Amino acid sequence: MNIVVCLKQVPGTTQVKINPETNNLIRDGIKNIINPLDTYAIEEAVRLRERFGGGVTAVSMGPPQTESALREAISLGVDEGILLSDPAFAGADTWATSRTLAAAVRRLAQTDLVICGRQTLDGDTGHVGPQLAQMLDLPFIAYVSSIEDVAEGQMHVRRLVEDGYEIVASPLPAVITVVKEINTPRLPSLRGIARSRSATIPVWGVKELNVDPKGVGMSGSFTRVVRIYAPERACRGEILQGTPENQVDCLIDRLKKNGLI
Amino acid sequence: MEYFFTEEQKTIKSLARKIAEEKVLPVRAELDEKGEFPRAIIQDLAGADMFRVFVPVEYEGLGGGCLELCLVVEELSRICGGVATTYAVNALGSYTLIEYGTEAQKRKYLPDIAAGKKLTAFAISEATAGSDASNIKTTADRVEGGYVLNGTKQFITNAGEAELYTVVALTDRTRGARGASTILVEKGTPGFTFGKKEKKMGIRTSATGELIFRNCLVPEENLIGKPGLGFIQAMRLFDRSRPGIGAQAVGIAQGALEVAVDYAQQRVQFGQPIISLPVVQDMLAEMATQVEAARALVYAAARTVDSGARRITEESAMAKVFASDVAMKVTTDAVQICGGTGYMKDFPVEKMMRDAKITQIYEGANQILRNAIAVELRKRKARTE
Amino acid sequence: MSDKSCRGVWVFAEQRRGRIKNVAYELLAKGRELADALHTELSAVCFGHKIDDIDRLIARGANKVYLADSPELADNQEDLLTGQLVELVQQHRPEIVLAGATALGRAFIPRVAAAVKTGLSADCLDLDVDAEKQLLLQTKPTFGGNIMAVITCPEARPQMATVRPHVFSQREPEGQRKGEIIKVDFRRERFTARTKLIEFIEEVTETVKMEEAEVIVAGGRGLQKAENFEMLRELASVMGAAVGATRAVVDEGWIGYPHQIGQTGKTVCPRLYIAVGISGALQHLVGMQTSDCIVAINDDPHAPIFEVATYGIVGDLFQVVPLLTEKLKKR
């Protein structure tokens, strides 16, 4: 199976702050990591290769430092990594990002499966998987929690829904997003790390992908962020005092008064 | 302190630390409490290629030396001495094969050892033979096509869990110390069973038990090295592996030091964190200095082993003796600094003190090693006269 | 599509097994507000088979309902839903399309946006209108809820957004409201369905469903171990409440994922939410902070949960919870 994993490099924490002067996010001093949910996508791709043979390619769109995320993916078992980087790609919303990734997938030979993580910890949208599928005109399944079987160009998976799970069949090639219930990502191995150090990571830009620069990046984005702010947490209520006995009595009294019990 | 590690050494060290912090830390207390073998962690170490560190490249290893092994052991020990023992013993159980084995033997066993598929153990100790290792009674009588083993080995690490056992037994009862040979016995060989599993003071996740041989027939191709050289091979083996025990001691001490420093910064008494008190500062400074001195000595001994030097007995003994004594002192002091809390099982430092003790005892009790150092000093004086 | 002549606010009304989901009514309430501010009509769009209560969509504020009824649509096959919604949008050109950020919504709405070539914001916590510029202002959480972003889609149309259940409140139904139900001519042969539902397995371990519960008792790390959830289950059973949990304890395996509340779990808005041994990390708050009344029980007086709690008890939960259970039993 030829598998493509789309991954994103994100800040290594959600505890980000806003610079009050520029009103932009403070990114200095924050280590970059592979988006945690993408590590499950990487692990699943590597497991599928171990089961069915073939190859795994990791693709990521980002500034030049994103290369380290692709090398890390190689240390985790991915065969090769490709960096999509170009000034024209900057400022992309999920639509423009999906467009760029779609162009890369088209350039790769004969992909059987594209795997994305469920959502990123910075944007939290979960859009790239489905939009990529739509742009590549491929079947799409979200929230895959287990790949049960792959045989004769067909895939059977389990996917999570609110009140349980569904067994879904799909022809290949297809695009899926995976949830963390699907596996436990492995640790890097020493040989993997050695490979990741010596690997060549090709960089594809506007030219290599043959895309119109106006259709990607900020100029290709439909949405705009007009404002960001840190939500305020105002002190709301009453701290009940006294012994546990007192506190509980007080609480029951309050709840009764509010008609809640 | 700057130890001038290569890129590969830094990678090995940082990956070992990652495994220790992510996989061992969450379960170390439970493994210690239950005395349960760290099977899942062994699999994680195998998957990360950690067992390849001490196997030569020709046999699917990464060809690391004593220093590389020490780096892994130190990082694992910083989190749990028991897990470190379980891992390190595999190097001990493999070295005889690597040094003295035939090509056929190495091809047969080393790839599986490198992949972490088969664990190993080294068996010399018996009820009558601890420090006096030559006082073993287990025999391996030559018969048609092999050897028949009879006897009981005591206090063997990885007993029951390992697949491959490097056993030192008497092939010639008449020649005393020169009558022992090293034989590889596979788990499941008829006549080879395991006795009781020991309940220990520390390194409780490590499996320790008896090996019982009753007319156990082993094929002749399982003899490793030359007959009669069992002890010499074993002594050389220990010279090479002792810095690893030193590394274990350094790791345990380091872990305890970190806990003590954290605690001293947070614990407020008499209106200030206790780290502000000169008496505590004095203790911590001494602890930190001792740990660093032990570390430097261990790395120097490991590098000496790796340099291919012929005489390494003194250096490796020094590293082990010094580091293990430091570990015992530092962990005891760490419990003291953490006070009542340090004494409680809910807090990690009492385990470290219990774990540290064994490093002064096994792979050459410190008293015996001091003797050995003294012997080397005398030899050296004699040589120059 | 990019044309200021697009008019109308649409709400995709998700149905499951013939019943319209509550999130549709919540979105109609908000949609009505937006439509009124823009002086335009509100329409509901519903695909399925033999759906009950279509009229309710009108009672809840819709001027029109576009209904595609076919046995092929009963299972919410996503290729068919995507294709049909895209067709309708291209035909009728609404200016805004809203949908619930449910498992289905998050899977197929982005595909619709991609096919129509327009912008989409996911998981919005608030929607507003700049009537002058005819722009939808979409507020959504990023970085796990630590940063809020306000997004617009200035040029492309329709402006699309998904919203989590329980973020907006439903309106009172107005039985006399009149509206039009427009039958959509669903032609199966126009679309290709590639994925196929083989089986659905329901997995609900607790008796009261969290999303519908009026009272939820939730536990976090302060419970210390899985066995202590028993204490919460007892309290929950006395109160007729559902049991919830933070991501931390679900990750530990103390309770199943269906009980997880927060950024990567469920959003709930019960009348009463009792947070036991929960510190109040933002990723969790995002999932429950709109609850009517929040009670927090925690031994750390500085825990962030107290900043959103209506009533806070700083104390040992292992004493407080059993006491509370006991006293409530006696009443």
Side-chain angles (χ1 to χ4, degrees):
Chain A
M1 278 183 87
N2 287 339
I3 305 167
V4 173
V5 176
C6 293
L7 58 96
K8 183 179 179 189
Q9 190 176 60
V10 297
T13 173
T14 53
Q15 304 299 316
V16 283
K17 304 239 181 334
I18 297 178
N19 180 328
E21 285 165 46
T22 64
N23 222 43
N24 284 331
L25 291 174
I26 299 175
R27 293 201 195 251
D28 288 337
I30 298 181
K31 210 177 75 121
N32 286 321
I33 58 172
I34 295 180
N35 175 45
L37 289 170
D38 295 345
T39 61
Y40 297 89
I42 293 170
E43 176 64 25
E44 199 58 27
V46 174
R47 284 190 190 193
L48 285 170
R49 185 200 59 214
E50 286 168 351
R51 242 165 112 186
F52 301 107
V56 179
T57 304
V59 176
S60 189
M61 186 187 93
Q65 64 254 34
T66 308
E67 184 188 300
S68 60
L70 290 163
R71 288 196 191 277
E72 195 185 325
I74 293 174
S75 79
L76 294 168
V78 158
D79 296 296
E80 53 162 3
I82 300 179
L83 174 60
L84 310 178
S85 190
D86 193 305
F89 297 159
D93 66 2
T94 53
W95 155 271
T97 305
S98 305
R99 261 197 113 178
T100 309
L101 289 169
V105 173
R106 280 190 208 104
R107 219 197 121 158
L108 291 166
Q110 234 235 302
T111 304
D112 297 302
L113 184 62
V114 180
I115 310 183
C116 303
R118 192 187 114 161
Q119 65 193 61
T120 59
L121 65 75
D122 54 0
D124 287 314
T125 65
H127 287 171
V128 168
Q131 298 199 325
L132 189 54
Q134 193 66 25
M135 291 173 189
L136 293 170
D137 193 22
L138 290 179
F140 173 71
I141 309 175
Y143 297 178
V144 174
S145 61
S146 165
I147 297 184
E148 311 274 277
D149 194 22
V150 177
E152 288 155 38
Q154 275 270 324
M155 180 174 71
H156 278 73
V157 306
R158 228 186 246 212
R159 65 98 161 255
L160 291 185
V161 291
E162 275 95 355
D163 48 356
Y165 62 89
E166 293 175 348
I167 314 263
V168 176
S170 170
L172 293 177
V175 177
I176 62 172
T177 64
V178 297
V179 289
K180 65 175 163 59
E181 285 73 8
I182 194 169
N183 60 42
T184 305
R186 66 191 63 190
L187 292 154
S189 70
L190 290 173
R191 291 175 302 171
I193 295 174
R195 256 188 335 117
S196 76
R197 293 233 167 91
S198 58
T200 317
I201 309 272
V203 181
W204 291 353
V206 159
K207 200 172 65 138
E208 289 80 2
L209 290 180
N210 203 16
V211 286
D212 176 6
K214 288 207 227 60
V216 293
M218 183 164 279
S219 32
S221 298
F222 294 121
T223 58
R224 290 267 177 281
V225 177
V226 294
R227 189 162 83 94
I228 56 171
Y229 62 93
E232 267 183 46
R233 308 253 156 247
C235 188
R236 255 177 69 174
E238 194 187 338
I239 304 288
L240 307 174
Q241 304 292 351
T243 62
E245 183 94 34
N246 279 353
Q247 289 170 319
V248 170
D249 282 336
C250 229
L251 178 66
I252 295 182
D253 185 58
R254 300 278 185 284
L255 294 179
K256 251 177 68 183
K257 286 221 184 80
N258 287 308
L260 289 166
I261 48 171
Chain B
M1 214 160 273
E2 177 59 62
Y3 288 108
F4 303 102
F5 293 132
T6 63
E7 272 311 307
E8 281 82 15
Q9 286 162 349
K10 286 183 194 162
T11 301
I12 289 171
K13 188 173 158 66
S14 84
L15 184 56
R17 177 170 286 227
K18 186 178 162 79
I19 297 172
E21 287 179 348
E22 288 178 20
K23 302 289 181 179
V24 181
L25 184 57
V27 296
R28 64 177 174 183
E30 192 187 338
L31 290 174
D32 177 67
E33 170 88 27
K34 294 185 181 160
E36 196 181 295
F37 189 73
R39 199 154 283 113
I41 294 170
I42 292 297
Q43 278 168 4
D44 288 329
L45 288 167
D49 288 341
M50 285 302 175
F51 291 98
R52 296 189 193 277
V53 169
F54 51 82
V55 175
V57 171
E58 305 81 63
Y59 308 101
E60 298 177 30
L62 292 169
C66 185
L67 182 57
E68 283 76 11
L69 181 69
C70 283
L71 293 177
V72 180
V73 170
E74 186 187 338
E75 288 300 332
L76 293 177
S77 303
R78 173 177 163 266
I79 301 295
C80 177
V83 167
T85 300
T86 307
Y87 165 78
V89 143
N90 287 281
L92 189 65
S94 311
Y95 276 160
T96 313
L97 194 56
I98 293 170
E99 287 300 300
Y100 305 108
T102 62
E103 189 59 32
Q105 287 171 332
K106 290 193 254 194
R107 292 230 165 270
K108 182 173 178 187
Y109 297 112
L110 288 178
D112 280 340
I113 292 172
K117 281 202 199 120
K118 293 195 174 160
L119 298 180
T120 70
F122 187 82
I124 188 166
S125 297
E126 297 179 19
T128 57
S131 292
D132 184 8
S134 61
N135 201 27
I136 58 171
K137 305 279 184 254
T138 300
T139 50
D141 294 317
R142 193 80 173 84
V143 295
E144 181 81 32
Y147 297 87
V148 173
L149 272 72
N150 276 288
T152 306
K153 292 294 185 188
Q154 186 190 63
F155 298 159
I156 306 305
T157 302
N158 281 353
E161 304 290 345
E163 275 78 20
L164 306 171
Y165 296 80
T166 310
V167 180
V168 179
L170 293 171
T171 39
D172 185 340
R173 301 164 205 232
T174 64
R175 302 190 61 208
R178 292 201 174 281
S181 306
T182 321
I183 300 178
L184 194 145
V185 187
E186 292 188 51
K187 183 173 166 184
T189 307
F192 174 23
T193 55
F194 303 103
K196 64 172 175 146
K197 186 172 163 191
E198 305 287 356
K199 289 193 200 131
K200 303 188 294 293
M201 170 181 172
I203 58 166
R204 289 172 46 78
T205 183
S206 161
T208 311
E210 288 179 329
L211 309 184
I212 301 172
F213 300 101
R214 295 266 176 279
N215 296 324
C216 175
L217 173 64
V218 174
E220 61 186 344
E221 56 265 22
N222 283 31
L223 180 77
I224 307 179
K226 298 204 169 59
L229 290 188
F231 278 119
I232 296 185
Q233 289 173 179
M235 293 307 117
R236 290 225 188 96
L237 154 70
F238 285 126
D239 278 347
R240 290 193 52 177
S241 62
R242 265 189 206 112
I245 305 303
Q248 177 178 36
V250 170
I252 294 173
Q254 178 66 29
L257 173 64
E258 288 175 21
V259 171
V261 170
D262 273 346
Y263 181 84
Q265 283 173 333
Q266 286 165 29
R267 173 70 169 167
V268 174
Q269 290 283 269
F270 313 112
Q272 54 187 334
I274 62 173
I275 201 167
S276 318
L277 303 171
V279 284
V280 171
Q281 286 174 0
D282 201 52
M283 285 174 81
L284 288 174
E286 188 61 30
M287 286 156 73
T289 308
Q290 293 285 296
V291 172
E292 202 62 50
R295 177 176 290 122
L297 185 56
V298 166
Y299 290 167
R303 285 188 156 119
T304 305
V305 169
D306 289 338
S307 72
R310 288 194 58 227
R311 307 190 115 81
I312 52 172
T313 307
E314 203 180 326
E315 291 81 352
S316 76
M318 284 177 170
K320 193 273 202 193
V321 160
F322 186 78
S324 58
D325 284 350
V326 165
M328 202 62 233
K329 177 91 176 48
V330 166
T331 52
T332 308
D333 283 349
V335 172
Q336 187 69 17
I337 288 175
C338 298
T341 302
Y343 201 69
M344 300 305 152
K345 278 191 171 286
D346 266 344
F347 206 66
V349 82
E350 59 80 34
K351 170 181 175 297
M352 294 171 177
M353 185 178 163
R354 287 186 286 110
D355 288 346
K357 189 60 193 161
I358 194 65
T359 62
Q360 291 177 309
I361 297 172
Y362 69 2
E363 288 214 22
N366 285 2
Q367 288 73 14
I368 302 299
L369 293 182
R370 288 194 157 90
N371 272 359
I373 294 168
V375 163
E376 291 300 307
L377 290 173
R378 284 178 72 181
K379 272 193 207 159
R380 216 182 332 177
K381 183 85 167 68
R383 275 198 300 277
T384 59
E385 272 166 357
Chain C
M1 268 168 34
S2 142
D3 189 338
K4 293 294 164 72
S5 71
C6 290
R7 302 293 287 148
V9 176
W10 281 19
V11 168
F12 177 76
E14 181 179 330
Q15 63 81 30
R16 197 157 167 78
R17 295 196 275 278
R19 297 215 58 211
I20 293 174
K21 291 190 111 169
N22 281 336
V23 66
Y25 301 128
E26 293 162 15
L27 289 176
L28 282 174
K30 189 56 164 175
R32 186 72 263 168
E33 255 182 63
L34 300 172
D36 290 343
L38 290 166
H39 307 293
T40 186
E41 285 198 328
L42 175 65
S43 307
V45 179
C46 196
F47 303 156
H49 186 48
K50 295 201 177 123
I51 304 163
D52 302 335
D53 41 298
I54 290 291
D55 293 317
R56 234 189 263 173
L57 293 169
I58 301 207
R60 300 295 186 119
N63 301 104
K64 288 196 181 81
V65 177
Y66 293 95
L67 173 62
D69 189 311
S70 160
E72 311 257 14
L73 293 170
D75 282 338
N76 283 330
Q77 204 285 341
E78 288 163 29
D79 294 319
L80 299 179
L81 256 52
T82 305
Q84 182 62 81
L85 185 55
V86 168
E87 225 184 52
L88 279 178
V89 164
Q90 285 170 337
Q91 205 183 337
H92 299 282
R93 299 148 60 71
E95 64 197 285
I96 289 174
V97 175
L98 307 177
T102 57
L104 176 66
R106 302 188 78 211
F108 97 99
I109 295 289
R111 295 175 58 186
V112 173
V116 166
K117 295 195 179 37
T118 188
L120 168 68
S121 299
D123 284 7
C124 294
L125 288 181
D126 202 3
L127 294 171
D128 231 317
V129 131
D130 179 334
E132 208 192 291
K133 299 196 192 131
Q134 290 199 303
L135 273 188
L136 180 66
L137 302 166
Q138 307 147 44
T139 304
K140 57 152 294 173
T142 61
F143 290 96
N146 282 297
I147 302 282
M148 290 296 172
V150 180
I151 317 268
T152 61
C153 181
E155 298 296 324
R157 291 289 177 272
Q159 305 158 90
M160 295 183 66
T162 60
V163 180
R164 286 214 174 186
H166 302 295
V167 168
F168 297 134
S169 317
Q170 301 182 25
R171 282 160 68 106
E172 286 306 313
E174 298 162 62
Q176 305 89 344
R177 273 192 68 94
K178 296 251 181 294
E180 201 189 333
I181 297 181
I182 303 172
K183 278 200 64 176
V184 173
D185 181 21
F186 170 72
R187 296 279 182 83
R188 174 71 180 79
E189 59 278 6
R190 283 205 290 266
F191 314 111
T192 325
R194 291 162 298 189
T195 58
K196 190 169 144 67
L197 171 66
I198 308 286
E199 204 189 332
F200 163 68
I201 291 104
E202 197 168 358
E203 227 168 40
V204 171
T205 42
E206 306 287 293
T207 40
V208 183
K209 279 202 183 191
M210 245 189 1
E211 298 90 319
E212 291 151 37
E214 296 236 300
V215 184
I216 295 178
V217 176
R221 267 209 214 276
L223 284 177
Q224 289 174 17
K225 52 184 172 197
E227 290 76 25
N228 294 330
F229 257 99
E230 218 29 67
M231 186 175 60
L232 288 197
R233 285 196 184 94
E234 241 201 275
L235 176 59
S237 120
V238 165
M239 298 185 83
V243 177
T246 60
R247 180 187 163 164
V249 304
V250 168
D251 279 352
E252 293 279 346
W254 298 356
I255 193 170
Y257 174 69
H259 299 271
Q260 184 173 317
I261 295 172
Q263 181 77 4
T264 49
K266 299 198 169 78
T267 310
V268 294
C269 182
R271 295 188 66 214
L272 175 59
Y273 187 93
I274 305 185
V276 180
I278 293 177
S279 65
L282 272 149
Q283 291 89 331
H284 180 72
L285 292 186
V286 159
M288 43 61 75
Q289 64 194 344
T290 54
S291 308
D292 288 347
C293 176
I294 299 171
V295 174
I297 304 171
N298 196 307
D299 60 8
D300 175 9
H302 301 296
I305 190 83
F306 288 118
E307 288 166 37
V308 298
T310 321
Y311 302 114
I313 294 183
V314 179
D316 178 6
L317 65 92
F318 295 103
Q319 285 190 17
V320 173
V321 173
L323 258 178
L324 183 58
T325 310
E326 203 193 295
K327 287 182 187 261
L328 288 174
K329 262 198 211 152
K330 287 210 195 106
R331 291 180 71 245

